């Protein structure tokens, strides 16, 4: 049974370039989260979707970050233009909207912006 | 803003030893979760608790939750190298939003 799938696993790009991270949630899950993890700040929620609709984007750092969920099986997180301080591991997680929101995380995308 | 503190930050022990790590919240929470994250992977949920004073066991792992619903501990008996990883706790006030601690990095030496 496939878990949450993220691509790419690693991304190295130059400052100013556009970066797109992809996520396929677990089939049947109707909630999706994007997180960012750094040594300094730990795991931070960027945006939360419920039934493909963005519910809470208060964690998105600035306008350079955008996220979409065109259907129940696909989401993207885009950074344009990228900056070195965006370097981090980005995780996607999915769950069903019932009970205590037990999240299933993907393997993450390690982003390095030089 | 709810603050979450985990201790210790780092722990290195020999195989077979017992250990306890802690998670303390500045506010009362509705539910608390413990995750384990291995290098290069995403966090994996170990347990969810919603009742103050509750104790849950998962093989060699024992999770205790404070009566006041502001703290929790994770005790590992006879640690094994496979227990190595980053242990994260996360708390929620009853919504989708979980606040994660910065974790305890455990290394179990063979």
């Amino acid at each position: 049974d496939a878990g949450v799938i993220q691509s790419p696993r690693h991304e190295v790009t130059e400052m100013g370039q556009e970066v797109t991270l992809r996520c396929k949630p677990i089939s049947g899950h109707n909630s999706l989260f994007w997180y960012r993890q750094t040594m300094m700040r730990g795991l931070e929620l960027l945006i939360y979707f419920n039934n493909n609709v963005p519910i809470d984007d208060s964690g998105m750092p600035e306008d350079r970050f955008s996220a979409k969920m065109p259907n129940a099986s696909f989401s993207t997180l885009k950074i344009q233009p990228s900056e070195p301080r965006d370097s981090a591991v980005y995780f996607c997680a999915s769950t069903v909207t019932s009970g205590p929101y037990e999240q299933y995380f993907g393997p993450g995308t390690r982003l390095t912006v030089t | 803003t709810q603050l979450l503190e985990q201790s210790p930050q780092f722990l290195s022990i020999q195989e077979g030893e017992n250990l306890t790590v802690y998670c303390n919240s500045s506010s009362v929470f509705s539910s608390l979760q413990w995750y384990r994250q291995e290098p290069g992977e995403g966090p994996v949920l170990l347990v969810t608790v919603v009742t103050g004073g509750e104790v849950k066991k998962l093989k060699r792992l024992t999770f205790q939750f404070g009566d006041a619903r502001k703290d929790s501990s994770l005790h590992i008996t006879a640690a094994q190298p496979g227990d190595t990883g980053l242990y994260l706790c996360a708390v929620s006030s009853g919504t989708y939003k979980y606040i994660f601690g910065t974790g305890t990095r455990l290394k179990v030496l063979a």
Side-chain angles (χ1 to χ4, degrees):
Chain A
D1 198 14
V4 175
I5 298 172
Q6 290 188 248
S7 65
R9 291 296 309 272
H10 302 273
E11 177 82 39
V12 180
T13 191
E14 292 185 347
M15 182 173 66
Q17 297 297 305
E18 177 179 297
V19 174
T20 300
L21 311 181
R22 297 172 175 80
C23 174
K24 177 178 169 56
I26 292 173
S27 176
H29 284 187
N30 63 341
S31 287
L32 184 140
F33 305 78
W34 281 100
Y35 288 89
R36 176 171 67 177
Q37 187 176 39
T38 62
M39 288 293 290
M40 289 296 293
R41 301 173 69 92
L43 204 58
E44 300 174 286
L45 177 64
L46 299 177
I47 188 167
Y48 163 63
F49 290 88
N50 182 244
N51 292 322
N52 313 337
V53 176
I55 302 300
D56 182 357
D57 65 354
S58 60
M60 296 285 261
E62 47 198 273
D63 292 345
R64 297 184 298 105
F65 285 68
S66 62
K68 294 182 180 180
M69 192 164 185
N71 57 62
S73 59
F74 184 65
S75 177
T76 60
L77 177 67
K78 186 178 292 186
I79 308 173
Q80 166 63 20
S82 58
E83 296 182 4
R85 61 191 166 123
D86 301 330
S87 297
V89 182
Y90 290 81
F91 288 102
C92 174
S94 70
T95 188
V96 291
T97 314
S98 63
Y101 290 88
E102 298 187 340
Q103 297 175 61
Y104 293 80
F105 282 78
T109 295
R110 181 174 293 277
L111 173 65
T112 302
V113 183
T114 59
Chain B
T1 303
Q2 188 162 41
L3 298 177
L4 202 57
E5 191 173 303
Q6 289 191 246
S7 62
Q9 279 189 290
F10 302 95
L11 189 57
S12 181
I13 62 171
Q14 293 291 327
E15 182 176 4
E17 293 183 357
N18 301 332
L19 67 113
T20 302
V21 299
Y22 301 91
C23 175
N24 291 287
S25 170
S26 61
S27 306
V28 175
F29 54 81
S30 294
S31 61
L32 180 144
Q33 298 178 338
W34 282 96
Y35 291 80
R36 179 170 63 216
Q37 184 178 16
E38 298 186 18
E41 300 296 329
V44 175
L45 181 66
L46 297 174
V47 75
T48 299
V49 68
V50 296
T51 305
E54 189 172 357
V55 177
K56 281 193 173 180
K57 291 194 173 185
L58 185 66
K59 297 182 181 178
R60 294 176 294 100
L61 278 58
T62 301
F63 304 86
Q64 286 193 303
F65 301 92
D67 292 336
R69 305 165 68 95
K70 294 180 70 175
D71 58 273
S72 176
S73 65
L74 161 57
H75 182 80
I76 301 178
T77 303
Q80 299 176 0
D83 296 325
T84 292
L86 178 67
Y87 287 81
L88 296 164
C89 69
V91 299
S92 168
S93 299
T95 71
Y96 59 86
K97 185 172 278 189
Y98 274 84
I99 306 298
F100 282 79
T102 51
T104 292
R105 202 165 292 275
L106 171 66
K107 186 165 188 176
V108 182
L109 304 169

